Amino acid sequence: LRAMGRTMGAAKRRFAESPATWLDGLSTLLPTVLTSVATPAISRLASVTLPPINLIVSNVPGPQLPLYLCGARLLAYHPVSALSDMSGGLNITCFSYDGSLDFGILACPDRVKDVWRLMDHLREAMAELAALDPRP
């Protein structure tokens, strides 16, 4: 866990140091027709030079009070993220909202053959955590 913490800290620092628009800037140098071919290739090249990542997990703290839109209460907030050659084949995002946790799981079908099994494991793990909760 400590090794993963160090690795993630280094990855976050490297990401923070890179300009947010580097890929867009590079893409503008190419004709539009080539951009759709070049962008995945550039991402793959970047993934070769950076440490391999196959899983991204994010915890996003949300508001702990009900939200409304035009009088209708928001019941759940299901997060959605993105995958690329640089971010790996699996992204799990947890968003807390009004006393609950909502999960978004995005998987590359070539890398994660049965994402539904992962959902089953997630449900089991959440049940285990709830059973450990000492609160009434």
Side-chain angles (χ1 to χ4, degrees):
L1 188 56
R2 285 186 191 108
M4 185 182 315
R6 285 191 302 273
T7 302
M8 290 305 298
K12 286 179 182 181
R13 284 189 298 279
R14 183 173 38 251
F15 182 74
E17 292 168 1
S18 64
T21 58
W22 73 271
L23 187 56
D24 289 338
L26 189 57
S27 295
T28 60
L29 299 175
L30 300 170
T32 306
V33 175
L34 296 178
T35 302
S36 64
V37 175
T39 300
I42 292 167
S43 293
R44 278 193 300 280
L45 177 63
S47 69
V48 170
T49 62
L50 300 172
I53 297 172
N54 61 7
L55 168 66
I56 300 276
V57 178
S58 299
N59 174 28
V60 181
Q64 295 308 303
L65 54 112
L67 298 178
Y68 295 85
L69 178 63
C70 297
R73 183 174 180 203
L74 178 68
L75 300 177
Y77 187 107
H78 300 285
V80 177
S81 192
L83 292 176
S84 72
D85 290 329
M86 289 175 30
S87 67
L90 181 61
N91 182 301
I92 302 172
T93 303
C94 174
F95 186 87
S96 61
Y97 164 65
D98 195 24
S100 67
L101 295 176
D102 294 311
F103 290 87
I105 296 180
L106 186 62
C108 171
D110 293 335
R111 295 182 181 178
V112 181
K113 300 296 182 194
D114 190 2
V115 73
W116 296 109
R117 280 191 68 200
L118 181 60
M119 290 294 300
D120 292 339
H121 293 306
L122 181 58
R123 282 188 198 97
E124 290 172 16
M126 292 303 296
E128 286 177 23
L129 287 173
L132 294 174
D133 188 355
R135 292 177 286 175

